[in-house]
Amino acid sequence: EPEVTQTPSHQVTQMGQEVILRCVPISNHLYFYWYRQILGQKVEFLVSFYNNEISEKSEIFDDQFSVERPDGSNFTLKIRSTKLEDSAMYFCASIEGGTGVEKLFFGSGTQLSVL
Amino acid sequence: KQEVTQIPAALSVPEGENLVLNCSFTDSAIYNLQWFRQDPGKGLTSLLLIQSSQREQTSGRLNASLDKSSGRSTLYIAASQPGDSATYLCAVKDSNYQLIWGAGTKLIIKP
């Protein structure tokens, strides 16, 4: 079965450093998402991306965050200057269409630890 | 504002029992509801997706129901096995196409 792939599985960084989290969505999918889950808390929506631009973003997705689809297969989340509170599991997800009725496929996540 | 609640937060049952996990949401204007499974330190696996026009979906030993008017969904697991131990999350896609998540029910199946 096709799957969403995320790398790395774990990332440790110092506060203030930039990190890039990478995702390869399922190849025929058109809508891409980033979610995060702080330890012990609910999953939170960060951003959705379609047709090479952001379609929705949450309040969490401030100027420190950016997303890119640089080469037609990768989908990246960049955090410019990490803060301690950015420590979380970050999930990438994709949907084949965007009708609001499609099943969401998630990657296995990147555990980000900011020291 | 849509809120999703899952009760109980944790559940421990002996192997072989049938069990029900509950999910409630405050706004009935949803597009769909999904049940996910999360294993410790791992990703999220979609188990069942129920469209707003549907009442239930089944996959193997799992059956999910949806009562939109009352803002409730249940996930029924038949003949539970130790491998079913995980955290089960429900999420609704709201009128803004956003997924709103519950906090999950941590399920432990005792051998």
Side-chain angles (χ1 to χ4, degrees):
Chain A
E1 184 174 82
E3 57 182 27
V4 176
T5 305
Q6 287 187 245
T7 55
S9 56
H10 293 85
Q11 174 91 49
V12 180
T13 190
Q14 296 290 326
M15 191 169 57
Q17 294 296 306
E18 175 184 285
V19 294
I20 298 176
L21 309 182
R22 302 182 192 279
C23 170
V24 179
I26 295 172
S27 60
N28 64 332
H29 285 193
L30 300 177
Y31 288 75
F32 315 115
Y33 304 83
W34 284 101
Y35 290 85
R36 79 172 186 189
Q37 187 179 31
I38 295 170
L39 186 64
Q41 297 188 21
K42 291 185 179 184
V43 177
E44 300 173 291
F45 167 75
L46 294 178
V47 66
S48 60
F49 191 86
Y50 170 71
N51 200 25
N52 285 319
E53 60 182 28
I54 292 173
S55 46
E56 298 282 344
K57 60 182 181 178
S58 71
E59 294 172 354
I60 302 167
F61 195 88
D62 62 21
D63 292 344
Q64 293 300 310
F65 290 86
S66 62
V67 288
E68 256 192 338
R69 189 155 161 81
D71 57 12
S73 61
N74 290 286
F75 178 50
T76 62
L77 174 69
K78 182 193 288 186
I79 309 175
R80 288 190 183 81
S81 178
T82 50
K83 303 189 281 284
L84 295 175
E85 54 265 37
D86 293 328
S87 295
M89 179 75 95
Y90 287 79
F91 295 107
C92 173
S94 66
I95 290 179
E96 183 175 355
T99 61
V101 297
E102 303 266 357
K103 185 173 163 179
L104 202 58
F105 289 83
F106 279 83
S108 56
T110 293
Q111 180 66 57
L112 177 65
S113 298
V114 182
L115 306 179
Chain B
K1 183 184 169 187
Q2 180 74 270
E3 301 263 349
V4 179
T5 304
Q6 290 186 247
I7 294 173
L11 181 64
S12 179
V13 300
E15 180 179 4
E17 282 200 5
N18 303 324
L19 58 99
V20 174
L21 307 181
N22 297 292
C23 174
S24 61
F25 47 96
T26 54
D27 186 345
S28 61
I30 65 170
Y31 283 99
N32 61 45
L33 183 146
Q34 285 191 73
W35 281 94
F36 292 88
R37 170 184 172 137
Q38 183 175 30
D39 293 281
K42 301 254 179 92
L44 299 153
T45 302
S46 181
L47 299 171
L48 290 163
L49 181 149
I50 312 177
Q51 312 292 5
S52 62
S53 58
Q54 296 175 325
R55 296 294 297 234
E56 66 177 345
Q57 283 287 326
T58 298
S59 176
R61 293 182 294 108
L62 305 179
N63 176 277
S65 69
L66 174 64
D67 183 342
K68 210 171 64 161
S69 59
S70 68
R72 293 176 192 275
S73 175
T74 61
L75 179 67
Y76 174 83
I77 303 177
S80 57
Q81 302 169 357
D84 295 330
S85 298
T87 296
Y88 290 81
L89 301 169
C90 76
V92 299
K93 182 161 279 190
D94 71 3
S95 54
N96 296 316
Y97 293 97
Q98 300 298 327
L99 263 189
I100 310 298
W101 296 78
T105 294
K106 183 175 181 179
L107 177 65
I108 297 173
I109 307 298
K110 297 174 288 188

